[in-house]
Amino acid sequence: MKTKWWQLRLGMLLVAASAILYYIHYLIFHDAHHIFIYMLGDIAFVPIEVLLVTLILHRLLETRERQALLHKMNMVVGAFFSEVGRPLIERIAEFDRDTSDLQVAVSFKVDWTKRDFEAAHVRLSKYDYSVDAAAGDLVELNAFLREQRRFVLGLLQNPNLLEHESFTELLWAVSHLGEELDARRDLTDLEATDLEHLAGDIKRAYHALLGEWLRYLRHLSEAYPYLYSLAVRTNPFDETARAEV
């Protein structure tokens, strides 16, 4: 309420200052005709000025601000895949009974274009995640997620991720999987129904993880080719990949 009153007082002050200046002009030149000609011209330009400020300049500033926000978000996503994402992909892939189709979908190359990434996204969306909770090491996966829990929860508190819904969903899926695993007393002796439940949690995290990984790699290929080159040379689904050039 105080802010509105301050704005009202400022508006009244500016209008009064304008009236005083026009009055001084009239006292000096005694030419009301001249004053009203320029006043009408200034008023006629107001709609154009509003158009320029609100629609064009505001849109440019909004676009620039959004680009800065996307840059910050991609930095956060990069930190996640560096610390958690890529190692987690390797661990969760152990629970996938057949990754032959997946290897084709994510066989990234240095010379990939936007069309290649779009095709990979289509193949990945059709991929059948054959997850079996008994096929991998649940104890090791739980230990890794417990070690990274503080880091993941810290990312969820980052305000820059408010507009990145898919990545936030990924963080929640990973966090939930860690909580599910940590809640069990003995991960080496689970009933078939419980293994099936965990398989669903692993599949959810697996699906979200690979989708965000694909989007992140596309960003690297466009903005940071040298980082993308390293990602290609350390692709966990490429058995021939080597970091050494």
Side-chain angles (χ1 to χ4, degrees):
M1 193 67 181
K2 291 182 179 180
T3 302
K4 292 182 179 180
W5 174 243
W6 175 83
Q7 291 175 344
L8 179 60
R9 292 179 60 185
L10 177 61
M12 294 174 61
L13 180 62
L14 293 174
V15 171
S18 180
I20 291 172
L21 290 173
Y22 276 121
Y23 182 65
I24 294 174
H25 185 282
Y26 177 75
L27 291 177
I28 296 174
F29 298 102
H30 300 285
D31 188 359
H33 178 73
H34 183 81
I35 292 175
F36 281 105
I37 287 177
Y38 279 95
M39 181 186 295
L40 182 60
D42 292 338
I43 294 175
F45 186 72
V46 168
I48 298 177
E49 187 175 8
V50 172
L51 174 66
L52 291 173
V53 174
T54 60
L55 297 183
I56 299 178
L57 293 180
H58 179 70
R59 180 63 60 85
L60 290 174
L61 292 175
E62 189 179 55
T63 301
R64 184 173 181 180
E65 182 179 354
R66 182 167 182 80
Q67 288 176 345
L69 178 60
L70 287 174
H71 179 69
K72 292 179 180 179
M73 287 194 298
N74 284 321
M75 290 177 62
V76 174
V77 173
F80 169 79
F81 278 104
S82 177
E83 296 295 326
V84 181
R86 190 186 175 284
L88 184 57
I89 289 175
E90 294 179 349
R91 287 166 171 80
I92 290 184
E94 296 178 359
F95 295 90
D96 195 343
R97 285 293 189 182
D98 184 9
T99 60
S100 56
D101 292 338
L102 182 60
Q103 290 174 354
V104 175
V106 294
S107 58
F108 306 106
K109 302 299 179 185
V110 177
D111 58 350
W112 265 29
T113 63
K114 290 183 179 180
R115 182 173 298 180
D116 294 316
F117 279 102
E118 291 171 358
H121 179 75
V122 172
R123 288 194 295 268
L124 195 61
S125 64
K126 296 179 179 179
Y127 179 67
D128 182 18
Y129 295 84
S130 53
V131 174
D132 183 356
D137 191 341
L138 291 174
V139 175
E140 201 278 334
L141 178 61
N142 182 38
F144 175 77
L145 291 176
R146 182 186 299 171
E147 180 183 349
Q148 301 296 337
R149 179 173 299 165
R150 181 173 297 180
F151 180 79
V152 173
L153 292 178
L155 291 182
L156 281 169
Q157 298 173 6
N158 193 314
N160 292 322
L161 297 180
L162 293 176
E163 296 187 19
H164 202 326
E165 185 176 350
S166 60
F167 183 68
T168 303
E169 290 297 324
L170 165 60
L171 295 179
W172 280 120
V174 171
S175 178
H176 177 72
L177 175 59
E179 291 176 355
E180 286 279 2
L181 293 173
D182 208 37
R184 279 137 177 94
R185 296 180 180 179
D186 187 3
L187 290 171
T188 61
D189 185 22
L190 297 175
E191 298 291 337
T193 54
D194 204 26
L195 286 172
E196 184 178 356
H197 178 83
L198 287 176
D201 294 325
I202 294 172
K203 182 177 180 179
R204 183 188 303 110
Y206 195 25
H207 179 270
L209 192 60
L210 292 181
E212 284 303 309
W213 187 47
L214 176 61
R215 281 185 281 271
Y216 174 63
L217 288 178
R218 177 173 177 173
H219 164 70
L220 289 184
S221 70
E222 296 173 352
Y224 303 99
Y226 57 96
L227 292 178
Y228 176 65
S229 173
L230 178 60
V232 171
R233 288 181 281 117
T234 56
N235 187 344
F237 294 102
D238 185 356
E239 297 179 355
T240 63
R242 295 291 183 275
E244 295 79 9
V245 179

